[in-house]
Amino acid sequence: IVVQALDLIRGKNFMMLMDSALEGHFSNDDGADLVRLASRCLQYEARERPNVKSLVTSLAPLQKETDVPSYVLLGIPHGAASPKEATSLTPLGDACSRLDLTAIHEILEKVGYKDDEGIANEASTKSCLSFQVWTDQLQETLNAKKQGDAAFKGKDFVTTIECYTQFIEDGTMVSPTVFARRCLCYLMSNKPQEALGDAMQAQVVSPEWPTAFYLQAAALFSLGMDKDACETLKDGTSLEAKKQNNRN
């Protein structure tokens, strides 16, 4: 099939390649652009094929009826609320349900380390270390966190991961917020499995922290595990409600 498609592309037989349902309602220029994209997608070497992001960027200008909802264009039945919509979500929960990573970043940056209150941040002094050595190690750990915070604010997610990893692996201090922030950085870096691991670690440190559940849901959505993600969103929402009731 691939060979036949390439033959049609080389012969510039656009009409044979186009979906008959379009009934010829497209310009020759648009047809040529789509065929060029198709040709790149059929290249034998993986490195010569475009990634999904560049494909979406290339296809976006070709969508003419931008006012028509995607579910209409795709013929998908619409009306029943999805599991995400059926749950009343906080701004962070909503951002995680939509995988809006920019919004998640803004929320985590705004909240800061407020949710770390009550967490035992400093580990006990290791008996085998002198006070001076322990103090130097603690200062190095704090510096790694400080550098990670600056990189996170500046959206340098690679550096953030490196600095927070140094902070976490030192083991002198523990912070669920650092795990949450590194989780988002992994999502930004297209590493959902690592992101899920960090969100789960944040939950281990702070078992009733809604943010940990919301970020787990985001990672699960990234992994295509929508059912589990929706259940985790509900758990986060329940914890959020419980938290609010305790304040009242």
Side-chain angles (χ1 to χ4, degrees), residues 9 12 14 17-18 30-40:
I9 290 170
K12 297 184 179 181
F14 297 168
L17 288 164
M18 292 298 175
D30 286 350
D33 287 341
L34 284 171
V35 168
R36 267 193 292 270
L37 279 174
S39 177
R40 290 174 59 203

Side-chain angles (χ1 to χ4, degrees), residues 158-217:
V158 173
T159 300
T160 304
I161 290 173
E162 292 174 356
C163 293
Y164 282 160
T165 298
Q166 181 182 342
F167 171 84
I168 291 167
E169 290 181 350
D170 176 75
T172 305
M173 305 177 73
V174 62
S175 165
T177 298
V178 167
F179 278 115
R181 288 182 167 201
R182 193 174 71 168
C183 167
L184 175 63
C185 292
Y186 278 134
L187 286 174
M188 288 285 194
S189 305
N190 197 27
K191 295 181 178 179
Q193 195 65 56
E194 289 84 348
L196 180 59
D198 269 3
M200 294 174 73
Q201 283 297 322
Q203 182 191 343
V204 170
V205 177
S206 188
E208 296 193 354
W209 190 33
T211 297
F213 287 83
Y214 292 143
L215 289 171
Q216 283 181 51

Side-chain angles (χ1 to χ4, degrees), residues 102-159:
T102 300
I104 296 172
H105 178 269
E106 290 175 357
I107 294 169
L108 291 181
E109 174 63 24
K110 183 178 180 180
V111 172
Y113 287 86
K114 183 181 72 175
D115 291 308
D116 276 18
E117 294 174 5
I119 302 296
N121 282 324
E122 291 193 26
S124 59
T125 308
K126 299 175 184 178
S127 58
C128 61
L129 297 177
S130 69
F131 180 75
Q132 183 60 49
V133 172
W134 182 80
T135 302
D136 292 343
Q137 183 177 327
L138 180 61
Q139 187 58 56
E140 188 177 341
T141 302
L142 290 172
N143 287 340
K145 176 178 170 293
K146 185 177 180 181
Q147 291 168 9
D149 290 343
F152 185 79
K153 184 175 183 178
K155 299 182 181 180
D156 180 354
F157 301 114
V158 173
T159 300

